[in-house]
Amino acid sequence: MKKAKALLSAASLAFLLVTTNGCNKDYLEIGPLGTTGEATLANKAGVNGLLTGAYSLLDGWGVPNTTYYFVGVSNWIFGGVTSDDAHTGTQASALPPMESVESYNYDPSLAPFNNKWVVLYAGVQRANDVLRVLAKVNDPSLSADEAKQLKAEATFLRAVYHFEAAKMWENIPYLDENVSYSNGNFNVPNTTSAWPKIEADFKFAADNLTATKTEVGRANSWAAKAFLAKVYMFQDKYAEAKPVLEDIIANGVTAAGQKYALVNYADNFNPSKKNGPESVFAVQMSISENFQNGNYGDALNFPMGGPATCCGAYQPSFSLVNSYKTDPNTGLPLIDTFNDSNVKNDQNIESSTPFTPHEGTLDARLDWTVGRRGIPYLDWGNHPGKAWIRVQSVAGPYSPIKTVYYQAQAATTSAFSRWTSNNYTMIRFADVLLWAAEVEVEIGSLAKAQEYVNRVRARAANPAGWVKKYINPANPLQGFTNEPAANYKVGLYTNEFTAKGKDFAREAVRFERKLELAMEGHRFFDLRRWDNGTGYMANVLNAYVKHETSIPGYDFTYMKGATFKKGKTELYPIPQAQIDLSVVNGTPTLKQNPGY
């Protein structure tokens, strides 16, 4: 979106004029968009600048008094750390109040929840500002087709921000362009479901956006359809999702016009190969103009050694790594028994002590997802284990990879060590295929569900995409051999889905999402949408806590005594600050989620 970023000067003006925070009166009072602002911005350049400002908050960064790692678009805290994907890492009390968040002791007064709310509703208001000003534009240089695209993109962004809020809290206020402080209607209740209006926004965007764009970071019609399908999946509307997903799989293209396809797995996380055929919609990151345009929300998610040398957060869990074990004969995942034993690791083993990595069969996606002792860590060298972990006794033995840049590309893809041009892909094509598999399990063909899963697994089974050993481990920049770095074995399902039935097929699809999308911030929200009051989420996460807290030599400080509470902690608490701001005549307009 280089052209869009050239409009940042206009967007900066827009920010000063229109920064708002949903129902937060204090933020709505900061520079309300008045007559002077409208006169200045109600033209082609002005409204395009406003739209750029609306896009710019997708990365989570740009609203005053919010903490970057609480609000990052990757949801590494709210979607990853609070799931079974990862530990916060670092060291005890290094990231307050993460003890309470990670251990499911949610408190409505905690800053992370209010920070996230502030950013998302600021994004909603920026999108609404585009719609408000666009309706008043009388500029002959703005064609009807251009105005139509501006409206559709702003509507799409409004839906994205609302959807991200609904993932967090479910019971949220929906704000359209008629809601503003100047109109006196900013106290909007959250007692009516926002889902129908989010659906309507995505439908409007899908119907009106063009299929391709001159700037790859802008939303196209297929991205809107994919988000619409995701909204359906969060409501278990499988019949509605099915035709949309089939259309995307058969006909969908990127904003640049490339047919959606699965690329080399590692390319999805390589800054030099972003916006490829698997990218359905990605938040654009850049370090060329301003380091804060980089992936600031993930700035803590590097090992303490090697690249960046900070900060040791977002450490993959033992349970996640165990999930990548495969059956030595079939290469299929061990869905029911993966946590019966731990993959061999170097917990409490000094980096100077000889160590042989796990020799059993593994899914090849593991080593593009997790850094582990003795295995090539991109082009930074074999991961040395404990020497790269901030406090191994608390963080565990593993490091994140998907947020990390390559050593050979450091000059062009990173700045200040920890800000990178690594996009965050909100939806990729593998995600779409696995939603389609879920739909087929629930209302369609188990054989078709297996076919979709196998499309994803076939990529993982291809040796061309596996991590390979270095030509010279002492100088990893010399490149790689053709020898796999570990004992990878990935098989395809044959007739298991139909032979073992719907319950097995459902769990197989869910497990495949865990393997494919690990450390991408989706896991907590997947578990929640699969729960439906059954206790499924509580069962999974309490089993995870039990396993992680019973590992010899590992002190999972934050999780001692932690219990995921069925019927409560599936949803995050509405921030108390927002409830307090919504009081009218002594009564809060916003209602707290159950159990808080």
Side-chain angles (χ1 to χ4, degrees):
M1 242 170 80
K2 289 183 178 178
K3 183 178 178 182
K5 286 192 175 182
L7 295 170
L8 281 175
S9 60
S12 298
L13 171 62
F15 176 80
L16 292 174
L17 290 169
V18 303
T19 298
T20 55
N21 173 31
C23 302
N24 185 331
K25 176 181 175 181
D26 290 352
Y27 273 78
L28 285 161
E29 287 181 325
I30 296 175
L33 187 62
T35 303
T36 302
E38 291 177 4
T40 303
L41 297 169
N43 53 60
K44 182 175 179 177
V47 77
N48 270 289
L50 285 170
L51 183 61
T52 300
Y55 271 106
S56 73
L57 270 189
L58 284 173
D59 65 5
W61 178 246
V63 178
N65 302 316
T66 56
T67 301
Y68 61 97
Y69 51 86
F70 292 153
V71 298
V73 63
S74 71
N75 283 315
W76 69 274
I77 292 175
F78 302 118
V81 164
T82 51
S83 76
D84 49 357
D85 266 9
H87 313 148
T88 300
T90 64
Q91 60 197 62
S93 302
L95 294 176
M98 286 309 301
E99 301 97 317
S100 297
V101 176
E102 185 171 11
S103 62
Y104 314 125
N105 290 310
Y106 308 149
D107 182 333
S109 69
L110 294 178
F113 301 119
N114 192 55
N115 279 199
K116 189 72 170 178
W117 183 286
V118 164
V119 167
L120 292 176
Y121 277 99
V124 167
Q125 287 298 339
R126 288 198 190 185
N128 281 334
D129 287 331
V130 177
L131 298 172
R132 279 189 283 263
V133 173
L134 181 62
K136 299 179 181 181
V137 170
N138 185 19
D139 183 344
S141 68
L142 182 67
S143 70
D145 285 342
E146 289 173 322
K148 179 180 179 180
Q149 292 308 297
L150 290 168
K151 182 176 181 179
E153 287 185 63
T155 304
F156 169 87
L157 291 172
R158 178 172 69 188
V160 169
Y161 290 120
H162 276 116
F163 177 55
E164 288 295 300
K167 283 166 52 180
M168 292 280 295
W169 297 287
E170 180 81 21
N171 302 301
I172 62 166
Y174 174 89
L175 311 182
D176 65 18
E177 66 269 31
N178 298 308
V179 175
S180 69
Y181 179 65
S182 60
N183 288 340
N185 61 351
F186 55 87
N187 278 309
V188 179
N190 62 338
T191 51
T192 300
S193 175
W195 289 120
K197 292 182 179 179
I198 298 173
E199 284 182 26
D201 276 353
F202 281 130
K203 286 178 182 176
F204 177 85
D207 290 342
N208 289 279
L209 286 169
T210 53
T212 59
K213 296 287 181 181
T214 56
E215 298 158 355
V216 296
R218 291 191 182 273
N220 69 347
S221 59
W222 294 105
K225 290 178 183 179
F227 270 100
L228 177 60
K230 189 170 185 176
V231 169
Y232 287 145
M233 296 303 292
F234 267 77
Q235 300 173 84
D236 299 330
K237 290 186 174 181
Y238 303 117
E240 291 87 344
K242 192 173 190 294
V244 179
L245 291 167
E246 289 172 346
D247 189 21
I248 296 168
I249 292 168
N251 304 304
V253 298
T254 69
Q258 297 174 291
K259 178 76 174 65
Y260 288 145
L262 298 176
V263 300
N264 185 302
Y265 187 73
D267 289 354
N268 288 297
F269 321 107
N270 186 335
S272 69
K273 297 184 178 182
K274 59 189 179 182
N275 297 316
E278 192 165 343
S279 180
V280 176
F281 185 74
V283 178
Q284 304 298 303
M285 308 293 181
S286 171
I287 56 139
S288 58
E289 299 108 353
N290 182 330
F291 77 88
Q292 289 182 351
N293 290 335
N295 195 351
Y296 199 27
D298 282 311
L300 303 184
N301 301 336
F302 294 83
M304 284 296 287
T309 64
C310 181
C311 293
Y314 205 22
Q315 302 293 106
S317 70
F318 293 89
S319 293
L320 176 64
V321 173
N322 293 341
S323 301
Y324 288 91
K325 292 187 294 186
T326 62
D327 184 284
N329 297 313
T330 65
L332 294 175
L334 307 177
I335 297 172
D336 297 320
T337 61
F338 71 94
N339 245 356
D340 285 359
S341 63
N342 291 317
V343 168
K344 184 181 178 183
N345 59 74
D346 69 319
Q347 184 70 22
N348 295 323
I349 298 175
E350 298 297 326
S351 292
S352 57
T353 301
F355 175 81
T356 301
H358 185 79
E359 295 177 319
T361 54
L362 297 165
D363 189 304
R365 287 169 288 190
L366 168 62
D367 292 322
W368 292 120
T369 304
V370 174
R372 60 191 182 99
R373 173 78 178 271
I375 302 297
Y377 190 83
L378 303 181
D379 60 353
W380 291 93
N382 287 327
H383 194 293
K386 189 176 181 180
W388 275 16
I389 308 297
R390 184 167 179 172
V391 180
Q392 196 190 57
S393 61
V394 173
Y398 303 116
S399 298
I401 287 185
K402 288 181 175 179
T403 55
V404 176
Y405 55 89
Y406 289 73
Q407 183 178 184
Q409 303 168 7
T412 57
T413 63
S414 67
F416 299 94
S417 296
R418 296 185 288 121
W419 292 266
T420 78
S421 61
N422 218 356
N423 280 359
Y424 175 73
T425 305
M426 297 186 81
I427 298 177
R428 54 187 177 90
F429 188 53
D431 210 358
V432 172
L433 290 171
L434 293 174
W435 288 332
E438 284 189 57
V439 167
E440 292 296 336
V441 168
E442 300 304 333
I443 63 167
S445 160
L446 296 183
K448 187 67 175 178
Q450 181 174 283
E451 178 186 324
Y452 284 134
V453 170
N454 277 343
R455 284 183 66 173
V456 175
R457 291 189 63 78
R459 170 174 61 183
N462 184 353
W466 294 354
V467 175
K468 304 297 198 311
K469 292 183 177 180
Y470 295 119
I471 294 171
N472 177 9
N475 185 2
L477 292 176
Q478 288 184 11
F480 301 85
T481 69
N482 289 320
E483 184 180 357
N487 185 13
Y488 303 127
K489 186 177 181 62
V490 183
L492 305 186
Y493 289 99
T494 52
N495 66 340
E496 287 85 358
F497 279 38
T498 53
K500 296 185 177 182
K502 189 171 184 176
D503 289 345
F504 171 84
R506 181 183 294 116
E507 286 306 309
V509 174
R510 293 176 178 180
F511 206 82
E512 197 64 31
R513 284 189 64 83
K514 180 182 184 182
L515 299 174
E516 176 69 19
L517 300 166
M519 303 294 288
E520 295 179 45
H522 300 299
R523 178 65 172 169
F524 182 93
F525 303 113
D526 275 344
L527 290 171
R528 183 167 76 77
R529 68 184 178 85
W530 295 330
D531 186 273
N532 293 318
T534 62
Y536 180 88
M537 188 177 190
N539 291 339
V540 169
L541 293 181
N542 284 327
Y544 158 72
V545 172
K546 181 178 180 180
H547 179 268
E548 301 290 296
T549 54
S550 64
I551 295 171
Y554 174 58
D555 180 13
F556 200 1
T557 301
Y558 294 159
M559 300 302 279
K560 290 179 177 178
T563 301
F564 191 92
K565 305 165 190 68
K566 177 185 175 183
K568 176 182 177 181
T569 36
E570 295 89 353
L571 295 178
Y572 292 119
I574 306 293
Q576 189 62 44
Q578 302 303 320
I579 293 176
D580 294 343
L581 287 164
S582 76
V583 172
V584 177
N585 296 325
T587 302
T589 303
L590 294 177
K591 306 301 180 186
Q592 184 57 269
N593 277 332
Y596 295 103

